[in-house]
């Protein structure tokens, strides 16, 4: 009986130190946010408001309220975007953010 050769290749990855941000992302099971950064939805109301009862800027029904954890890792940025609704921000950990605001006249 002819023996078959078995080749095993081991690739040893360099152990990379997990940052505090990486730990939050893993523990909270955060997903990439479409505008940049990471998020985890932690609350969404069961009730909704139908689109015909909302201002024209909304294209469909909306939940009464929702809440997310949002995280930007060092060097990450959130894409500039126009808010349709009020947002409430809480600072839990990390470094301060710089928020840029442009008013309706285009002033920064």
């Amino acid at each position: 009986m002819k023996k078959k050769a078995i080749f095993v290749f081991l690739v040893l990855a360099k152990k990379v130190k997990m940052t505090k941000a990486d730990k939050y992302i893993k523990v909270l099971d955060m997903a990439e946010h479409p505008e940049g950064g990471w998020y985890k939805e932690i609350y969404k109301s069961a009730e909704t408001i139908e689109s015909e009862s909302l201002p024209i800027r909304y294209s469909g029904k909306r939940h009464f309220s929702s809440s997310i954890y949002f995280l930007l890792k060092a060097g990450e940025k959130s894409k500039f975007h126009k808010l349709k609704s009020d947002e409430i921000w809480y600072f839990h950990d990390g470094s301060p953010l710089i928020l840029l605001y442009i008013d309706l006249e285009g002033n920064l």
Side-chain angles (χ1 to χ4, degrees):
M1 179 182 228
K2 199 173 193 183
K3 288 187 177 181
K4 293 183 181 178
I6 299 174
F7 295 95
V8 178
F9 295 95
L10 295 176
V11 179
L12 299 176
K14 193 176 193 181
K15 192 170 185 176
V16 178
K17 185 177 179 183
M18 187 180 276
T19 66
K20 189 185 250 188
D22 292 324
K23 288 178 186 175
Y24 282 128
I25 291 166
K26 183 177 180 178
V27 169
L28 296 172
D29 192 29
M30 299 177 97
E32 289 188 61
H33 194 282
E35 294 159 354
W38 301 83
Y39 81 104
K40 175 68 176 188
E41 185 175 75
I42 57 171
Y43 172 78
K44 185 182 277 186
S45 61
E47 296 180 291
T48 58
I49 303 169
E50 295 301 320
S51 58
E52 51 274 356
S53 299
L54 292 167
I56 196 164
R57 67 181 178 267
Y58 298 103
S59 59
K61 67 181 180 180
R62 307 275 296 184
H63 290 269
F64 286 0
S65 64
S66 63
S67 182
I68 66 169
Y69 285 130
F70 181 75
L71 181 147
L72 286 173
K73 292 170 69 171
E76 290 184 337
K77 296 177 182 167
S78 176
K79 293 177 187 169
F80 220 71
H81 58 283
K82 185 176 182 179
L83 301 178
K84 293 181 182 179
S85 301
D86 294 344
E87 291 186 352
I88 299 172
W89 290 49
Y90 296 95
F91 178 80
H92 295 290
D93 199 358
S95 301
L97 293 173
I98 298 172
L99 296 176
L100 300 177
Y101 173 81
I102 297 178
D103 64 21
L104 294 175
E105 287 78 40
N107 301 307
L108 184 62

